[in-house]
Amino acid sequence: MHDIAIHQKVLAQNIEIAGTIREKLKARGIFTLNLISSPGSGKTTIIEKTAALLPSEIKLAVIEGDLHTELDSQRLSKLNIPVRQINTGKSCHLDAMMIYRTLPWVLEQNDLNLLLIENVGNMVCPAEYDLGEDMKVAVMSVTEGDDKPLKYPAMFNASDHLLINKMDLQPYTNFDLARAKENALGINPHLNITELSCTTNSGIDRWVEVLTATVLGQPSA
Amino acid sequence: MHDIAIHQKVLAQNIEIAGTIREKLKARGIFTLNLISSPGSGKTTIIEKTAALLPSEIKLAVIEGDLHTELDSQRLSKLNIPVRQINTGKSCHLDAMMIYRTLPWVLEQNDLNLLLIENVGNMVCPAEYDLGEDMKVAVMSVTEGDDKPLKYPAMFNASDHLLINKMDLQPYTNFDLARAKENALGINPHLNITELSCTTNSGIDRWVEVLTATVLGQPSA
Protein backbone atom coordinates (compact mmCIF):
# COMPACT_ATOMS: atom_id res chain seq x y z
CA MET A 1 0.00 0.00 0.00
CA HIS A 2 2.87 2.29 0.88
CA ASP A 3 4.34 1.93 -2.62
CA ILE A 4 0.99 2.66 -4.26
CA ALA A 5 0.65 5.86 -2.21
CA ILE A 6 4.17 6.93 -3.24
CA HIS A 7 3.38 6.15 -6.87
CA GLN A 8 0.19 8.24 -6.72
CA LYS A 9 2.17 11.13 -5.26
CA VAL A 10 4.79 10.85 -8.02
CA LEU A 11 2.03 10.86 -10.67
CA ALA A 12 0.30 13.86 -9.06
CA GLN A 13 3.57 15.86 -9.04
CA ASN A 14 4.15 14.80 -12.64
CA ILE A 15 0.74 16.11 -13.73
CA GLU A 16 1.48 19.46 -12.10
CA ILE A 17 4.81 19.86 -13.92
CA ALA A 18 3.24 18.66 -17.18
CA GLY A 19 0.61 21.40 -16.82
CA THR A 20 3.33 24.04 -16.59
CA ILE A 21 5.09 22.61 -19.66
CA ARG A 22 1.83 22.54 -21.64
CA GLU A 23 1.13 26.18 -20.80
CA LYS A 24 4.62 27.33 -21.86
CA LEU A 25 4.56 25.39 -25.13
CA LYS A 26 1.04 26.55 -25.98
CA ALA A 27 2.00 30.17 -25.30
CA ARG A 28 4.70 29.82 -27.97
CA GLY A 29 2.42 28.04 -30.46
CA ILE A 30 4.36 24.78 -30.23
CA PHE A 31 2.33 21.64 -30.88
CA THR A 32 3.77 18.62 -29.05
CA LEU A 33 3.46 14.89 -29.71
CA ASN A 34 4.60 12.12 -27.38
CA LEU A 35 5.47 8.94 -29.35
CA ILE A 36 5.08 5.72 -27.40
CA SER A 37 5.80 2.16 -28.46
CA SER A 38 7.60 -1.07 -27.79
CA PRO A 39 11.39 -1.11 -28.40
CA GLY A 40 12.21 -1.46 -32.09
CA SER A 41 8.78 -0.67 -33.52
CA GLY A 42 10.30 2.09 -35.66
CA LYS A 43 9.71 5.40 -33.84
CA THR A 44 13.03 6.96 -34.90
CA THR A 45 12.60 5.89 -38.53
CA ILE A 46 9.07 7.31 -38.53
CA ILE A 47 10.48 10.63 -37.28
CA GLU A 48 13.14 10.58 -40.04
CA LYS A 49 10.52 9.87 -42.72
CA THR A 50 8.09 12.44 -41.29
CA ALA A 51 10.75 15.16 -41.15
CA ALA A 52 11.60 14.60 -44.83
CA LEU A 53 8.01 15.26 -45.94
CA LEU A 54 6.94 18.09 -43.62
CA PRO A 55 6.01 21.31 -45.44
CA SER A 56 8.18 24.38 -44.92
CA GLU A 57 5.55 26.02 -42.66
CA ILE A 58 6.35 23.42 -40.02
CA LYS A 59 9.55 23.80 -38.05
CA LEU A 60 10.39 20.60 -36.15
CA ALA A 61 12.50 19.79 -33.11
CA VAL A 62 12.83 16.42 -31.39
CA ILE A 63 13.46 15.24 -27.83
CA GLU A 64 14.91 11.71 -27.78
CA GLY A 65 14.37 9.54 -24.70
CA ASP A 66 16.68 6.57 -24.19
CA LEU A 67 18.14 4.74 -21.22
CA HIS A 68 21.79 5.20 -22.13
CA THR A 69 22.78 5.80 -25.72
CA GLU A 70 22.62 8.76 -28.06
CA LEU A 71 22.23 6.51 -31.11
CA ASP A 72 18.82 7.85 -32.12
CA SER A 73 19.70 11.51 -31.68
CA GLN A 74 22.86 10.96 -33.73
CA ARG A 75 20.66 9.57 -36.54
CA LEU A 76 18.43 12.66 -36.44
CA SER A 77 21.33 15.12 -36.11
CA LYS A 78 22.75 13.77 -39.37
CA LEU A 79 19.51 14.91 -41.05
CA ASN A 80 19.93 18.40 -39.54
CA ILE A 81 16.93 17.94 -37.26
CA PRO A 82 17.42 19.89 -34.01
CA VAL A 83 17.47 17.18 -31.34
CA ARG A 84 18.01 17.01 -27.60
CA GLN A 85 18.85 13.70 -25.91
CA ILE A 86 17.47 12.68 -22.50
CA ASN A 87 19.13 9.63 -20.96
CA THR A 88 16.85 8.17 -18.32
CA GLY A 89 19.42 5.74 -16.83
CA LYS A 90 17.36 2.96 -15.29
CA SER A 91 14.01 4.68 -15.72
CA CYS A 92 11.71 2.93 -18.20
CA HIS A 93 9.88 6.12 -19.20
CA LEU A 94 10.26 9.86 -19.60
CA ASP A 95 8.65 12.03 -16.94
CA ALA A 96 7.56 15.66 -16.96
CA MET A 97 10.56 16.89 -14.95
CA MET A 98 12.95 15.51 -17.59
CA ILE A 99 11.05 17.45 -20.27
CA TYR A 100 10.85 20.57 -18.08
CA ARG A 101 14.66 20.64 -17.89
CA THR A 102 14.90 20.73 -21.70
CA LEU A 103 12.46 23.67 -22.02
CA PRO A 104 15.16 26.39 -22.23
CA TRP A 105 16.58 24.54 -25.26
CA VAL A 106 13.12 24.01 -26.79
CA LEU A 107 12.14 27.65 -26.37
CA GLU A 108 15.35 28.93 -27.95
CA GLN A 109 14.55 27.10 -31.26
CA ASN A 110 13.47 29.80 -33.74
CA ASP A 111 9.95 29.57 -35.19
CA LEU A 112 9.44 26.11 -33.72
CA ASN A 113 5.85 24.89 -34.08
CA LEU A 114 6.20 21.09 -33.79
CA LEU A 115 7.96 19.21 -31.00
CA LEU A 116 8.16 15.43 -31.23
CA ILE A 117 9.09 13.56 -28.06
CA GLU A 118 10.29 9.99 -28.63
CA ASN A 119 9.67 8.12 -25.41
CA VAL A 120 11.71 5.17 -24.08
CA GLY A 121 10.70 1.94 -25.86
CA ASN A 122 8.10 0.52 -23.47
CA MET A 123 4.37 -0.06 -23.87
CA VAL A 124 3.55 0.18 -20.17
CA CYS A 125 4.77 3.08 -18.01
CA PRO A 126 5.12 5.83 -20.65
CA ALA A 127 1.32 5.77 -21.01
CA GLU A 128 0.97 6.87 -17.37
CA TYR A 129 3.25 9.91 -17.50
CA ASP A 130 1.88 13.15 -18.95
CA LEU A 131 4.79 15.09 -20.50
CA GLY A 132 2.78 18.23 -21.28
CA GLU A 133 2.12 17.03 -24.84
CA ASP A 134 -0.94 17.91 -26.91
CA MET A 135 -1.39 14.30 -27.92
CA LYS A 136 0.10 10.88 -27.54
CA VAL A 137 0.79 8.82 -30.67
CA ALA A 138 1.05 5.06 -30.20
CA VAL A 139 3.16 3.04 -32.62
CA MET A 140 2.85 -0.71 -33.00
CA SER A 141 4.51 -2.80 -35.67
CA VAL A 142 2.98 -5.69 -37.57
CA THR A 143 5.60 -8.10 -36.25
CA GLU A 144 4.51 -7.52 -32.64
CA GLY A 145 1.19 -9.28 -33.23
CA ASP A 146 -2.44 -8.17 -33.47
CA ASP A 147 -3.11 -8.94 -29.79
CA LYS A 148 -1.01 -6.06 -28.45
CA PRO A 149 -3.91 -3.60 -27.88
CA LEU A 150 -5.54 -6.18 -25.60
CA LYS A 151 -2.34 -6.85 -23.69
CA TYR A 152 -1.17 -3.23 -23.29
CA PRO A 153 -4.46 -1.30 -23.25
CA ALA A 154 -3.23 1.79 -21.37
CA MET A 155 -1.03 2.94 -24.27
CA PHE A 156 -3.86 2.57 -26.79
CA ASN A 157 -6.36 4.17 -24.45
CA ALA A 158 -4.17 7.23 -23.77
CA SER A 159 -3.40 7.90 -27.45
CA ASP A 160 -5.16 9.94 -30.15
CA HIS A 161 -3.36 8.33 -33.08
CA LEU A 162 -2.14 4.83 -33.73
CA LEU A 163 0.50 4.20 -36.38
CA ILE A 164 0.66 0.56 -37.50
CA ASN A 165 4.21 0.28 -38.85
CA LYS A 166 6.14 -2.31 -40.90
CA MET A 167 3.12 -3.07 -43.08
CA ASP A 168 5.58 -4.40 -45.72
CA LEU A 169 6.23 -7.39 -43.42
CA GLN A 170 2.55 -8.36 -43.15
CA PRO A 171 2.73 -11.03 -45.91
CA TYR A 172 5.42 -12.89 -43.92
CA THR A 173 3.55 -12.93 -40.59
CA ASN A 174 0.18 -14.06 -39.26
CA PHE A 175 -0.74 -10.45 -38.36
CA ASP A 176 -4.44 -9.84 -39.00
CA LEU A 177 -4.88 -6.10 -39.72
CA ALA A 178 -8.67 -6.13 -39.30
CA ARG A 179 -8.35 -7.86 -35.93
CA ALA A 180 -5.59 -5.48 -34.79
CA LYS A 181 -7.79 -2.48 -35.61
CA GLU A 182 -10.81 -4.07 -33.98
CA ASN A 183 -8.74 -4.76 -30.84
CA ALA A 184 -7.38 -1.19 -30.78
CA LEU A 185 -10.77 0.46 -31.41
CA GLY A 186 -12.33 -1.80 -28.79
CA ILE A 187 -9.97 -0.20 -26.25
CA ASN A 188 -10.30 3.31 -27.67
CA PRO A 189 -13.02 4.04 -30.26
CA HIS A 190 -11.60 7.56 -30.91
CA LEU A 191 -8.23 6.31 -32.15
CA ASN A 192 -7.20 7.54 -35.61
CA ILE A 193 -5.33 4.71 -37.27
CA THR A 194 -2.77 5.03 -40.09
CA GLU A 195 -0.92 2.08 -41.63
CA LEU A 196 2.69 2.75 -42.59
CA SER A 197 5.77 1.17 -44.01
CA CYS A 198 9.03 3.05 -43.60
CA THR A 199 10.64 0.57 -46.01
CA THR A 200 8.26 1.15 -48.93
CA ASN A 201 7.20 4.64 -47.67
CA SER A 202 3.54 3.67 -48.06
CA GLY A 203 1.27 5.67 -45.77
CA ILE A 204 3.94 8.19 -44.72
CA ASP A 205 2.44 10.90 -46.92
CA ARG A 206 -1.02 10.30 -45.44
CA TRP A 207 0.37 10.46 -41.88
CA VAL A 208 2.28 13.69 -42.66
CA GLU A 209 -0.92 15.22 -44.12
CA VAL A 210 -2.87 14.38 -40.97
CA LEU A 211 -0.05 15.69 -38.77
CA THR A 212 0.32 18.90 -40.78
CA ALA A 213 -3.40 19.63 -40.63
CA THR A 214 -3.36 19.00 -36.88
CA VAL A 215 -0.37 21.28 -36.26
CA LEU A 216 -1.45 24.13 -38.55
CA GLY A 217 -5.06 23.83 -37.49
CA GLN A 218 -4.31 24.40 -33.83
CA PRO A 219 -5.85 27.52 -32.29
CA SER A 220 -3.22 30.24 -31.94
CA ALA A 221 -2.11 31.17 -28.41
CA MET B 1 16.51 11.18 -3.81
CA HIS B 2 13.59 9.95 -1.76
CA ASP B 3 12.28 7.87 -4.68
CA ILE B 4 15.69 6.28 -5.27
CA ALA B 5 15.87 5.24 -1.61
CA ILE B 6 12.39 3.69 -1.82
CA HIS B 7 13.36 1.89 -5.03
CA GLN B 8 16.50 0.49 -3.41
CA LYS B 9 14.42 -0.75 -0.47
CA VAL B 10 11.92 -2.42 -2.82
CA LEU B 11 14.78 -4.14 -4.69
CA ALA B 12 16.39 -5.30 -1.42
CA GLN B 13 13.11 -6.83 -0.22
CA ASN B 14 12.68 -8.42 -3.64
CA ILE B 15 16.12 -10.08 -3.45
CA GLU B 16 15.26 -11.53 -0.04
CA ILE B 17 12.00 -13.07 -1.27
CA ALA B 18 13.72 -14.31 -4.45
CA GLY B 19 16.30 -16.08 -2.26
CA THR B 20 13.51 -17.96 -0.45
CA ILE B 21 11.91 -18.95 -3.76
CA ARG B 22 15.25 -20.15 -5.16
CA GLU B 23 15.86 -22.32 -2.09
CA LYS B 24 12.40 -23.93 -2.26
CA LEU B 25 12.62 -24.63 -6.00
CA LYS B 26 16.15 -26.02 -5.72
CA ALA B 27 15.12 -28.31 -2.85
CA ARG B 28 12.54 -29.83 -5.20
CA GLY B 29 14.94 -30.11 -8.15
CA ILE B 30 13.03 -27.55 -10.22
CA PHE B 31 15.14 -25.59 -12.69
CA THR B 32 13.68 -22.15 -13.38
CA LEU B 33 14.07 -19.79 -16.33
CA ASN B 34 12.88 -16.18 -16.47
CA LEU B 35 12.14 -15.13 -20.08
CA ILE B 36 12.51 -11.41 -20.75
CA SER B 37 11.89 -9.45 -23.94
CA SER B 38 10.11 -6.62 -25.62
CA PRO B 39 6.33 -7.05 -26.26
CA GLY B 40 5.68 -9.24 -29.27
CA SER B 41 9.15 -10.73 -29.70
CA GLY B 42 7.69 -14.23 -29.55
CA LYS B 43 8.14 -15.51 -25.97
CA THR B 44 4.84 -17.43 -25.86
CA THR B 45 5.44 -19.02 -29.27
CA ILE B 46 8.95 -20.03 -28.18
CA ILE B 47 7.44 -21.71 -25.11
CA GLU B 48 4.89 -23.54 -27.31
CA LYS B 49 7.63 -24.76 -29.69
CA THR B 50 9.96 -25.68 -26.81
CA ALA B 51 7.26 -27.68 -25.02
CA ALA B 52 6.56 -29.70 -28.18
CA LEU B 53 10.18 -30.87 -28.43
CA LEU B 54 11.11 -31.44 -24.77
CA PRO B 55 12.06 -35.05 -23.97
CA SER B 56 9.81 -37.04 -21.63
CA GLU B 57 12.32 -36.73 -18.74
CA ILE B 58 11.46 -33.05 -18.54
CA LYS B 59 8.17 -32.08 -16.94
CA LEU B 60 7.31 -28.43 -17.66
CA ALA B 61 5.10 -25.84 -16.00
CA VAL B 62 4.74 -22.18 -16.96
CA ILE B 63 3.99 -18.96 -15.12
CA GLU B 64 2.60 -16.29 -17.46
CA GLY B 65 3.06 -12.63 -16.58
CA ASP B 66 0.77 -10.09 -18.26
CA LEU B 67 -0.79 -6.79 -17.31
CA HIS B 68 -4.41 -7.80 -17.84
CA THR B 69 -5.26 -10.63 -20.17
CA GLU B 70 -5.05 -14.39 -19.95
CA LEU B 71 -4.49 -14.72 -23.71
CA ASP B 72 -1.05 -16.33 -23.43
CA SER B 73 -2.02 -18.81 -20.72
CA GLN B 74 -5.08 -19.80 -22.76
CA ARG B 75 -2.74 -20.58 -25.69
CA LEU B 76 -0.58 -22.81 -23.48
CA SER B 77 -3.52 -24.48 -21.72
CA LYS B 78 -4.77 -25.64 -25.12
CA LEU B 79 -1.50 -27.56 -25.48
CA ASN B 80 -2.04 -29.17 -22.06
CA ILE B 81 0.87 -27.27 -20.53
CA PRO B 82 0.22 -26.58 -16.81
CA VAL B 83 0.10 -22.79 -16.61
CA ARG B 84 -0.59 -20.20 -13.95
CA GLN B 85 -1.45 -16.61 -14.91
CA ILE B 86 -0.20 -13.59 -12.98
CA ASN B 87 -1.86 -10.29 -13.91
CA THR B 88 0.33 -7.41 -12.81
CA GLY B 89 -2.27 -4.66 -13.40
CA LYS B 90 -0.23 -1.52 -14.00
CA SER B 91 3.11 -3.03 -13.05
CA CYS B 92 5.53 -3.32 -15.97
CA HIS B 93 7.38 -6.35 -14.53
CA LEU B 94 6.93 -9.43 -12.38
CA ASP B 95 8.40 -9.26 -8.89
CA ALA B 96 9.44 -11.98 -6.45
CA MET B 97 6.33 -11.61 -4.26
CA MET B 98 4.08 -12.37 -7.23
CA ILE B 99 6.05 -15.57 -7.88
CA TYR B 100 6.12 -16.45 -4.17
CA ARG B 101 2.30 -16.43 -4.13
CA THR B 102 2.22 -19.02 -6.94
CA LEU B 103 4.62 -21.41 -5.12
CA PRO B 104 1.89 -23.64 -3.60
CA TRP B 105 0.62 -24.26 -7.16
CA VAL B 106 4.15 -24.83 -8.51
CA LEU B 107 5.05 -27.27 -5.74
CA GLU B 108 1.90 -29.32 -6.21
CA GLN B 109 2.86 -30.12 -9.86
CA ASN B 110 4.00 -33.77 -9.87
CA ASP B 111 7.57 -34.52 -10.98
CA LEU B 112 8.07 -30.94 -12.15
CA ASN B 113 11.69 -30.19 -13.09
CA LEU B 114 11.41 -27.17 -15.40
CA LEU B 115 9.56 -23.96 -14.62
CA LEU B 116 9.43 -21.26 -17.31
CA ILE B 117 8.39 -17.79 -16.21
CA GLU B 118 7.28 -15.50 -19.04
CA ASN B 119 7.79 -11.95 -17.84
CA VAL B 120 5.74 -8.90 -18.89
CA GLY B 121 6.89 -7.64 -22.32
CA ASN B 122 9.41 -4.97 -21.37
CA MET B 123 13.15 -4.73 -21.91
CA VAL B 124 13.81 -2.45 -18.93
CA CYS B 125 12.45 -3.21 -15.45
CA PRO B 126 12.18 -7.03 -15.61
CA ALA B 127 16.00 -7.17 -15.77
CA GLU B 128 16.17 -5.57 -12.31
CA TYR B 129 13.85 -7.96 -10.49
CA ASP B 130 15.24 -11.32 -9.36
CA LEU B 131 12.37 -13.87 -9.36
CA GLY B 132 14.34 -16.70 -7.79
CA GLU B 133 15.17 -18.13 -11.22
CA ASP B 134 18.31 -20.12 -12.07
CA MET B 135 18.86 -18.09 -15.18
CA LYS B 136 17.40 -15.30 -17.23
CA VAL B 137 16.88 -15.82 -20.96
CA ALA B 138 16.65 -12.70 -23.11
CA VAL B 139 14.68 -12.83 -26.35
CA MET B 140 15.05 -10.27 -29.10
CA SER B 141 13.54 -10.48 -32.55
CA VAL B 142 15.20 -9.54 -35.81
CA THR B 143 12.56 -6.91 -36.53
CA GLU B 144 13.48 -4.93 -33.40
CA GLY B 145 16.86 -3.97 -34.87
CA ASP B 146 20.47 -4.91 -34.17
CA ASP B 147 21.01 -1.88 -31.92
CA LYS B 148 18.81 -3.17 -29.08
CA PRO B 149 21.64 -4.59 -26.91
CA LEU B 150 23.23 -1.12 -26.85
CA LYS B 151 19.96 0.59 -25.99
CA TYR B 152 18.72 -1.88 -23.34
CA PRO B 153 21.98 -3.25 -21.89
CA ALA B 154 20.62 -4.35 -18.48
CA MET B 155 18.52 -7.15 -19.98
CA PHE B 156 21.46 -8.51 -22.00
CA ASN B 157 23.83 -8.12 -19.09
CA ALA B 158 21.58 -9.99 -16.65
CA SER B 159 20.93 -12.94 -19.00
CA ASP B 160 22.78 -16.22 -19.59
CA HIS B 161 21.12 -16.99 -22.92
CA LEU B 162 19.99 -14.81 -25.78
CA LEU B 163 17.47 -16.14 -28.29
CA ILE B 164 17.41 -14.16 -31.53
CA ASN B 165 13.93 -14.88 -32.88
CA LYS B 166 12.12 -14.32 -36.20
CA MET B 167 15.24 -15.16 -38.21
CA ASP B 168 12.92 -15.95 -41.16
CA LEU B 169 12.21 -12.20 -41.44
CA GLN B 170 15.89 -11.22 -41.74
CA PRO B 171 15.87 -11.07 -45.57
CA TYR B 172 13.13 -8.40 -45.42
CA THR B 173 14.85 -6.13 -42.88
CA ASN B 174 18.19 -4.35 -42.50
CA PHE B 175 19.01 -6.44 -39.40
CA ASP B 176 22.74 -7.28 -39.33
CA LEU B 177 23.14 -10.54 -37.39
CA ALA B 178 26.90 -10.19 -36.92
CA ARG B 179 26.47 -6.67 -35.58
CA ALA B 180 23.63 -7.74 -33.26
CA LYS B 181 25.81 -10.49 -31.77
CA GLU B 182 28.79 -8.17 -31.49
CA ASN B 183 26.61 -5.61 -29.69
CA ALA B 184 25.19 -8.27 -27.33
CA LEU B 185 28.58 -9.87 -26.57
CA GLY B 186 30.07 -6.41 -26.05
CA ILE B 187 27.59 -5.96 -23.19
CA ASN B 188 27.91 -9.54 -21.90
CA PRO B 189 30.73 -11.75 -23.25
CA HIS B 190 29.29 -14.84 -21.47
CA LEU B 191 25.98 -14.78 -23.36
CA ASN B 192 25.09 -18.02 -25.18
CA ILE B 193 23.31 -17.03 -28.38
CA THR B 194 20.87 -19.17 -30.38
CA GLU B 195 19.13 -18.00 -33.56
CA LEU B 196 15.55 -19.19 -33.98
CA SER B 197 12.57 -19.00 -36.21
CA CYS B 198 9.26 -20.18 -34.81
CA THR B 199 7.79 -19.95 -38.32
CA THR B 200 10.29 -22.27 -40.02
CA ASN B 201 11.23 -24.02 -36.73
CA SER B 202 14.92 -23.51 -37.52
CA GLY B 203 17.07 -23.46 -34.39
CA ILE B 204 14.32 -24.70 -32.04
CA ASP B 205 15.87 -28.17 -31.82
CA ARG B 206 19.26 -26.67 -30.97
CA TRP B 207 17.74 -24.48 -28.27
CA VAL B 208 15.80 -27.42 -26.77
CA GLU B 209 19.03 -29.49 -26.71
CA VAL B 210 20.86 -26.74 -24.83
CA LEU B 211 17.94 -26.33 -22.44
CA THR B 212 17.59 -30.06 -21.84
CA ALA B 213 21.30 -30.46 -21.08
CA THR B 214 21.11 -27.51 -18.69
CA VAL B 215 18.05 -28.84 -16.85
CA LEU B 216 19.17 -32.48 -16.62
CA GLY B 217 22.75 -31.51 -15.90
CA GLN B 218 21.84 -29.49 -12.85
CA PRO B 219 23.30 -30.75 -9.57
CA SER B 220 20.66 -32.62 -7.58
CA ALA B 221 19.39 -30.98 -4.40
Side-chain angles (χ1 to χ4, degrees):
Chain A
M1 289 298 286
H2 189 58
D3 291 341
I4 294 172
I6 299 271
H7 183 63
Q8 291 305 332
K9 201 176 143 194
V10 167
L11 284 181
Q13 285 171 344
N14 188 77
I15 286 173
E16 210 179 306
I17 301 164
T20 307
I21 295 170
R22 188 170 282 113
E23 212 170 89
K24 284 180 189 288
L25 292 174
K26 212 172 214 46
R28 284 283 289 273
I30 300 169
F31 192 81
T32 303
L33 293 186
N34 178 1
L35 273 83
I36 304 180
S37 82
S38 175
S41 66
K43 293 186 295 304
T44 312
T45 310
I46 290 173
I47 294 174
E48 289 173 342
K49 297 282 179 174
T50 301
L53 287 190
L54 280 174
S56 58
E57 306 96 281
I58 296 192
K59 176 88 192 294
L60 169 72
V62 178
I63 294 174
E64 274 294 331
D66 259 312
L67 300 183
H68 300 281
T69 70
E70 305 208 349
L71 294 171
D72 292 345
S73 44
Q74 286 162 4
R75 282 171 58 184
L76 299 179
S77 288
K78 276 187 198 157
L79 303 176
N80 296 317
I81 300 167
V83 57
R84 184 69 171 239
Q85 181 73 49
I86 298 176
N87 281 136
T88 63
K90 287 189 164 184
S91 176
C92 65
H93 57 272
L94 291 171
D95 65 35
M97 184 48 91
M98 298 174 191
I99 302 299
Y100 185 81
R101 291 198 195 101
T102 69
L103 275 188
W105 175 82
V106 172
L107 298 176
E108 90 199 357
Q109 304 302 311
N110 284 332
D111 306 322
L112 183 67
N113 55 359
L114 175 60
L115 176 64
L116 297 183
I117 303 173
E118 180 179 337
N119 222 310
V120 175
N122 178 357
M123 279 189 162
V124 188
C125 301
E128 271 199 306
Y129 286 80
D130 184 356
L131 304 181
E133 72 273 351
D134 291 290
M135 49 176 71
K136 291 185 173 69
V137 176
V139 181
M140 69 179 282
S141 69
V142 158
T143 51
E144 294 161 24
D146 46 50
D147 60 350
K148 290 302 156 292
L150 304 177
K151 296 180 75 177
Y152 301 90
M155 181 183 91
F156 294 86
N157 195 37
S159 297
D160 295 277
H161 285 274
L162 168 63
L163 305 180
I164 303 184
N165 195 23
K166 306 192 187 179
M167 284 299 297
D168 54 295
L169 296 178
Q170 194 190 7
Y172 314 111
T173 68
N174 58 5
F175 183 85
D176 182 330
L177 180 63
R179 196 186 308 140
K181 286 181 171 183
E182 187 185 307
N183 287 341
L185 292 169
I187 302 292
N188 178 358
H190 305 295
L191 214 44
N192 292 300
I193 303 179
T194 309
E195 297 125 55
L196 299 180
S197 163
C198 293
T199 301
T200 66
N201 287 329
S202 83
I204 307 279
D205 50 351
R206 202 162 52 240
W207 158 241
V208 172
E209 261 173 42
V210 170
L211 177 60
T212 300
T214 310
V215 174
L216 298 182
Q218 66 171 319
S220 55
Chain B
M1 288 299 287
H2 190 58
D3 291 339
I4 293 173
I6 299 269
H7 184 63
Q8 291 305 331
K9 201 176 143 196
V10 168
L11 284 181
Q13 285 171 343
N14 188 78
I15 285 173
E16 210 178 306
I17 301 164
T20 307
I21 296 170
R22 188 170 283 113
E23 214 170 88
K24 284 180 189 287
L25 293 173
K26 210 173 215 45
R28 284 283 290 273
I30 300 168
F31 192 81
T32 304
L33 293 185
N34 177 1
L35 273 82
I36 305 180
S37 81
S38 174
S41 66
K43 292 186 294 305
T44 313
T45 310
I46 290 173
I47 294 174
E48 289 172 342
K49 298 282 179 174
T50 300
L53 287 190
L54 279 175
S56 57
E57 307 98 279
I58 297 192
K59 176 88 193 296
L60 169 71
V62 177
I63 294 174
E64 275 294 332
D66 260 312
L67 300 184
H68 300 280
T69 71
E70 305 208 349
L71 294 172
D72 292 343
S73 45
Q74 287 162 2
R75 283 171 57 184
L76 300 179
S77 288
K78 277 187 197 156
L79 303 176
N80 296 316
I81 300 167
V83 57
R84 184 68 171 240
Q85 181 74 48
I86 297 175
N87 282 137
T88 63
K90 286 190 165 182
S91 176
C92 64
H93 57 272
L94 291 172
D95 64 37
M97 184 48 91
M98 298 175 190
I99 302 299
Y100 185 80
R101 290 197 196 101
T102 70
L103 276 188
W105 175 83
V106 171
L107 298 176
E108 93 201 355
Q109 304 302 310
N110 284 330
D111 307 322
L112 183 67
N113 55 0
L114 175 59
L115 176 64
L116 298 182
I117 303 174
E118 181 179 337
N119 222 309
V120 175
N122 179 357
M123 278 188 162
V124 188
C125 301
E128 269 199 307
Y129 285 79
D130 184 357
L131 303 182
E133 72 275 349
D134 291 291
M135 48 176 69
K136 291 184 172 70
V137 176
V139 181
M140 69 178 281
S141 68
V142 158
T143 51
E144 293 162 24
D146 47 49
D147 60 349
K148 289 303 156 294
L150 304 177
K151 295 179 76 176
Y152 301 89
M155 181 183 91
F156 294 86
N157 196 36
S159 297
D160 294 277
H161 285 273
L162 167 62
L163 304 180
I164 303 184
N165 194 22
K166 306 192 188 178
M167 284 300 297
D168 54 294
L169 295 179
Q170 194 191 7
Y172 314 111
T173 67
N174 58 5
F175 182 85
D176 182 332
L177 180 63
R179 196 186 307 140
K181 287 180 170 185
E182 188 185 306
N183 287 341
L185 292 170
I187 301 293
N188 178 358
H190 305 294
L191 214 44
N192 291 300
I193 304 179
T194 308
E195 297 126 54
L196 299 180
S197 163
C198 292
T199 302
T200 67
N201 287 329
S202 83
I204 307 280
D205 49 351
R206 204 164 49 241
W207 157 241
V208 172
E209 261 172 42
V210 170
L211 177 61
T212 301
T214 309
V215 175
L216 298 182
Q218 65 171 319
S220 57

